[in-house]
Amino acid sequence: RSEDSLDIDRWNLECDFNNTDHRTDLNGVDRLIVRRGQPFTISLYLRSASYQPGVSSLDCVAETGPQPSEQYGTRAVFGLSANINTSRWSAAVTSPPGDMVALSICSAPDAPIGRYTLTLGRSARIEFILLFNPWCAADAVYMDNEQSLAEYVLSQDGIIFRGTHKYPIKSPWNFGQFEHGILDICLRILDMNPKYMKNPGKDCSGRRNPIYVARLLSAMVNCNDDQGVLLGNWSGNYGGGVSPLFWKGSQDILRNWDAQTCQPVRYGQCWVFAAVACTVFRALGIPCRVVTNYLSAHDNNGNLVIERYVDENGKEIAKEMIWNYHCWVESWMTRPDLKPEFNGWQASDPTPQEKSEGVYCCGPIPLKAIKEGELTLKYDAPFVFAEVNADFITFEKKKDGSTSKVIHDIHIGQMISTKSVGSDAREDITHLYKYPEGSAEEREAFKKANHQTKLLKQRQNQGLHLTIKVSSEMRKGCDFDVFAVVSNATQSNKKCRLYFGSCGVSYNGTVGENCGFKDLLNVELSPGQERKVPLRLNYSKYCGVVTAENIIRLRALLLDYTTNETILSMRHIVLDNPEIKIRVLGEPKENRKLAAEITLQNPLPEPLENCCFSIEGANLTGGCVISERLASSVGPGQEAKVKIYFTPTRCGLRKLVVDFDSSKLCHVKGYRNVIIGK
């Protein structure tokens, strides 16, 4: 009855208490941000009369999106109950009778996420943001491990693995999902997607489902079909934007996109796409991590085979589709559309590579589906399966136009890596994607996936063996040796040609110029003999050839004159950048100004010009990048040194990410973990 309806004069959303209770206080406590399926309590101050249990009533209406409807689940109408029911929208009074009412409200654990308006009675309208709740057992993103939740939802920084599978390099990244304004930008990304433009009511309804949101984000982080966040560029020419190596965190990228009225930020490559996606997933409450697959295949015709053609010196004739590494994200959720065994980590890839259902997006696909070879499951299983399992066949194209198969032992999908929970160590998660090589389970998965070339492949154990060995130290600026090792396991004498060359290469397999080679036409080996052939790599030759990623490809091609067989061996090396040393001066405390003393020694035999250090860190640098440029050049062997001031805003373990850039050493990264006290 309307005469028993509570007459509300004013209210207090108790943001400090509620946001802390819902683990959203890192976003600030100036507005109400709560997670679904978990009660929150607000204080209502009545104008007249007082609350009487069993007599007083209150009509509550929660609405999200521009076309709220009960049919779509974007509008919920409910009244007062004796107790909160966490399985649906409900409200209950938890205070004794009086003119102040403590009203507890709970959203459904499958309610669409986003901005809400809650109308209470005739006069009160409150606004709040609702997020996924991985702490709630009834939520599809529920994760039953506090340490994992601290890492995959609450941690604002991390490590992304780059380099090569023999030499993984830790790249620090500032996700910054709780920095000021980032959550609003993440919600704007959802509102800029083409499905929302076409049918906002249906799109907002879809936001109850993390599968829908994950697929949408894999499309919206790239800008290939929409007003997405990042434009990819692998050309090496970054005019009109910045090199992907420039970025240290997601905040700058997201803020630029937001400020540029949703024009794409220039430029990204795979680890940048993945890192930005990870920020958005975590901001919305979906557990997420960035993963790196070394020797990752790009199968653009779906036959699970990558074919490469080389000339008689082992140089690629056409661009290969094997990336030294490729990064994507995994997000944690149940898959009610599939069998229960496919719950858990799902791979999705925001880097635009191939279209899926007419759009540049990929996933989410359960890791279990990839491991078992279940390629008919949603979404994009064949493409991800090929990234970690494709077969690799090399052909030599001779001058007369004829081709022959080359013996080349290479395994796609190695050392799949992510940051460990609670430490900066590398966790190897290859076993989540594939069974041990050569196992019965692996053969079974290949049968299911109809991966015929791998099933038919016999291990070729030819009599001649060719490998590449490297020096223990390969620092940028130094000259050093690498070695082709040839051994003869046959019972007869062998006469061969050995070509041993090197060239610059980018992480996605784009080959650059030559930086030194040897061509030996008469290599003779008696039975059981091994020969080690050195190749000197000189800084003067490789300095103008390697990209900022410091990768050199070594290739050795051995032609057996007696059998006419060709063997190819290939290896990628990463030149070591100098170490950035970081000292924090002063006692690290909340809201106290600190200085970071940062030094780097020039390892090159030439001066460094235009030197600039910059720092960034969640809750350390006020959501900004702080830079300091050196006034003069830094000579060979000299130290570049700066002092940069910053003021931490929150206590806890924080990662200070440092970037050094100059004319000859580009975007060298370093970091320091800092414990900020109260």
Side-chain angles (χ1 to χ4, degrees):
R1 292 174 308 167
S2 60
E3 63 265 25
D4 296 325
S5 182
L6 295 177
D7 186 10
I8 301 164
D9 178 34
R10 57 194 173 84
W11 53 88
N12 184 337
L13 299 182
E14 311 293 355
C15 298
D16 203 333
F17 173 81
N18 286 317
N19 290 12
T20 303
D21 191 43
H22 284 244
R23 299 173 179 86
T24 63
D25 52 309
L26 284 168
N27 289 293
V29 292
D30 55 334
R31 57 181 174 164
L32 187 58
I33 303 170
V34 292
R35 298 186 186 276
R36 60 189 197 170
Q38 180 178 339
F40 60 95
T41 300
I42 62 176
S43 302
L44 305 178
Y45 298 90
L46 304 183
R47 186 177 287 117
S48 58
S50 62
Y51 166 69
Q52 297 299 324
V55 177
S56 303
S57 67
L58 186 65
D59 293 328
C60 309
V61 182
E63 298 179 312
T64 184
Q67 301 166 355
S69 89
E70 287 177 70
Q71 180 200 342
Y72 274 151
T74 49
R75 183 174 195 263
V77 179
F78 52 102
L80 292 179
S81 315
N83 296 295
I84 281 290
N85 181 343
T86 56
S87 69
R88 57 178 172 81
W89 284 94
S90 60
V93 173
T94 55
S95 55
D99 58 0
M100 195 289 281
V101 174
L103 182 69
S104 193
I105 300 160
C106 190
S107 63
D110 62 349
I113 59 136
R115 296 180 193 281
Y116 273 80
T117 301
L118 177 64
T119 308
L120 302 173
R122 291 189 300 270
S123 52
R125 265 173 76 85
I126 70 169
E127 293 187 345
F128 65 94
I129 292 172
L130 187 68
L131 301 177
F132 288 106
N133 192 352
W135 286 269
C136 169
D139 195 311
V141 300
Y142 175 62
M143 187 178 244
D144 185 19
N145 184 303
E146 280 299 327
Q147 285 82 18
S148 297
L149 287 161
E151 183 70 55
Y152 299 135
V153 182
L154 300 178
S155 180
Q156 293 201 73
D157 46 52
I159 297 288
I160 298 171
F161 290 91
R162 295 173 47 226
T164 71
H165 73 287
K166 296 222 178 201
Y167 193 80
I169 289 175
K170 289 179 180 179
S171 244
W173 192 270
N174 177 23
F175 295 114
Q177 69 269 29
F178 302 122
E179 291 281 23
H180 182 71
I182 296 300
L183 176 57
D184 297 282
I185 298 170
C186 296
L187 293 173
R188 189 178 187 187
I189 290 170
L190 297 182
D191 287 347
M192 292 308 294
N193 95 80
K195 288 179 176 169
Y196 179 86
M197 307 288 189
K198 199 171 161 187
N199 186 340
K202 194 176 176 191
D203 177 72
C204 286
S205 173
R207 297 180 195 180
R208 66 178 54 231
N209 182 353
I211 304 166
Y212 179 85
V213 173
R215 189 148 174 80
L216 193 150
L217 291 179
S218 98
M220 281 301 292
V221 169
N222 71 69
C223 66
N224 287 41
D225 315 276
D226 43 49
Q227 288 181 279
V229 178
L230 274 161
L231 179 62
N233 183 343
W234 287 266
S235 70
N237 174 13
Y238 304 119
V242 295
S243 157
L245 291 163
F246 168 84
W247 308 111
K248 296 174 286 305
S250 307
Q251 299 167 64
D252 253 14
I253 295 168
L254 291 167
R255 287 201 174 110
N256 283 350
W257 176 80
D258 187 49
Q260 293 164 190
T261 59
C262 310
Q263 293 303 301
V265 177
R266 298 160 187 258
Y267 295 102
Q269 289 177 1
C270 73
W271 73 94
V272 185
F273 285 107
V276 170
C278 185
T279 294
V280 183
F281 274 104
R282 289 184 185 182
L284 298 178
I286 302 174
C288 186
R289 61 188 184 185
V290 177
V291 303
T292 303
N293 176 38
Y294 289 97
L295 293 175
S296 189
H298 181 149
D299 177 25
N300 47 17
N301 63 5
N303 68 350
L304 303 178
V305 178
I306 306 291
E307 294 181 352
R308 176 167 60 185
Y309 290 84
V310 298
D311 65 14
E312 289 169 309
N313 294 333
K315 188 174 180 185
E316 294 77 7
I317 294 163
K319 182 184 180 307
E320 64 173 89
M321 299 312 273
I322 303 291
W323 295 30
N324 264 334
Y325 64 86
H326 180 52
C327 300
W328 56 76
V329 290
E330 292 171 4
S331 48
W332 180 270
M333 63 192 69
T334 58
R335 290 298 299 261
D337 56 327
L338 306 174
K339 290 179 189 158
E341 68 203 69
F342 297 110
N343 293 343
W345 288 117
Q346 317 284 319
S348 56
D349 190 349
T351 300
Q353 295 180 92
E354 296 293 326
K355 285 193 171 186
S356 169
E357 297 178 341
V359 175
Y360 278 99
C361 67
C362 178
I365 181 71
L367 271 51
K368 179 84 171 160
I370 301 305
K371 186 170 182 172
E372 300 297 341
E374 298 279 6
L375 301 198
T376 58
L377 300 186
K378 286 182 172 177
Y379 292 88
D380 309 307
F383 187 78
V384 181
F385 182 86
E387 287 184 304
V388 299
N389 279 313
D391 198 17
F392 190 72
I393 302 171
T394 306
F395 296 95
E396 182 185 6
K397 205 162 194 174
K398 299 192 168 57
K399 286 195 180 84
D400 62 9
S402 65
T403 58
S404 61
K405 204 167 172 183
V406 172
I407 298 164
H408 181 202
D409 204 17
I410 183 171
H411 300 287
I412 299 299
Q414 293 202 31
M415 227 168 76
I416 304 171
S417 305
T418 192
K419 176 190 175 299
S420 295
V421 170
S423 91
D424 290 340
R426 187 185 72 83
E427 182 186 347
D428 195 301
I429 54 169
T430 312
H431 64 283
L432 298 181
Y433 283 86
K434 52 210 283 192
Y435 285 104
E437 206 136 315
S439 65
E441 293 94 335
E442 183 198 48
R443 285 190 69 78
E444 204 48 51
F446 287 162
K447 275 182 196 160
K448 267 191 218 161
N450 197 23
H451 197 353
Q452 296 302 332
T453 52
K454 272 273 178 91
L455 288 167
L456 297 170
K457 201 167 191 181
Q458 296 299 310
R459 185 136 185 93
Q460 295 155 316
N461 190 12
Q462 72 288 349
L464 282 174
H465 293 275
L466 175 65
T467 55
I468 295 172
K469 297 274 169 74
V470 299
S471 307
S472 56
E473 284 204 343
M474 296 176 286
R475 291 198 303 274
K476 192 166 188 178
C478 298
D479 301 344
F480 56 90
D481 287 322
V482 291
F483 306 91
V485 182
V486 190
S487 56
N488 178 10
T490 71
Q491 300 302 307
S492 50
N493 291 321
K494 288 284 185 185
K495 195 173 177 184
C496 311
R497 174 208 175 199
L498 174 67
Y499 176 90
F500 190 17
S502 61
C503 61
V505 65
S506 70
Y507 88 95
N508 70 334
T510 306
V511 178
E513 293 301 308
N514 167 5
C515 53
F517 71 94
K518 268 184 181 172
D519 197 356
L520 307 177
L521 297 175
N522 287 301
V523 176
E524 295 188 358
L525 293 159
S526 53
Q529 189 185 358
E530 179 179 285
R531 274 191 68 177
K532 200 173 180 182
V533 178
L535 175 67
R536 189 81 171 158
L537 293 183
N538 297 307
Y539 174 72
S540 59
K541 281 206 182 136
Y542 69 69
C543 69
V545 167
V546 295
T547 67
E549 291 161 294
N550 291 349
I551 307 171
I552 294 176
R553 169 178 290 173
L554 306 173
R555 61 178 189 273
L557 197 77
L558 189 71
L559 171 64
D560 181 346
Y561 288 133
T562 48
T563 63
N564 230 16
E565 267 189 338
T566 303
I567 306 166
L568 176 68
S569 183
M570 207 174 271
R571 183 160 177 176
H572 294 92
I573 58 173
V574 183
L575 303 174
D576 282 330
N577 272 323
E579 183 193 357
I580 293 178
K581 291 181 176 159
I582 306 158
R583 260 178 73 210
V584 176
L585 310 176
E587 192 185 350
K589 285 201 165 178
E590 205 171 75
N591 300 315
R592 179 187 287 184
K593 196 174 188 180
L594 290 176
E597 186 185 79
I598 309 168
T599 53
L600 172 143
Q601 188 176 26
N602 178 9
L604 308 184
E606 56 186 320
L608 301 176
E609 314 282 349
N610 304 322
C611 301
C612 181
F613 284 98
S614 54
I615 65 168
E616 181 178 333
N619 304 128
L620 290 177
T621 58
C624 306
V625 176
I626 306 172
S627 300
E628 190 73 45
R629 199 168 281 282
L630 271 67
S632 55
S633 62
V634 179
Q638 288 185 338
E639 272 193 345
K641 188 172 188 175
V642 294
K643 206 178 270 186
I644 302 182
Y645 293 90
F646 63 100
T647 305
T649 52
R650 271 186 179 271
C651 60
L653 180 66
R654 304 280 172 244
K655 204 174 246 83
L656 186 68
V657 180
V658 178
D659 175 271
F660 172 81
D661 194 32
S662 69
S663 54
K664 297 285 179 185
L665 278 176
C666 299
H667 299 300
V668 179
K669 298 283 192 288
Y671 72 94
R672 172 83 187 257
N673 289 327
V674 187
I675 297 171
I676 308 296
K678 272 268 189 231

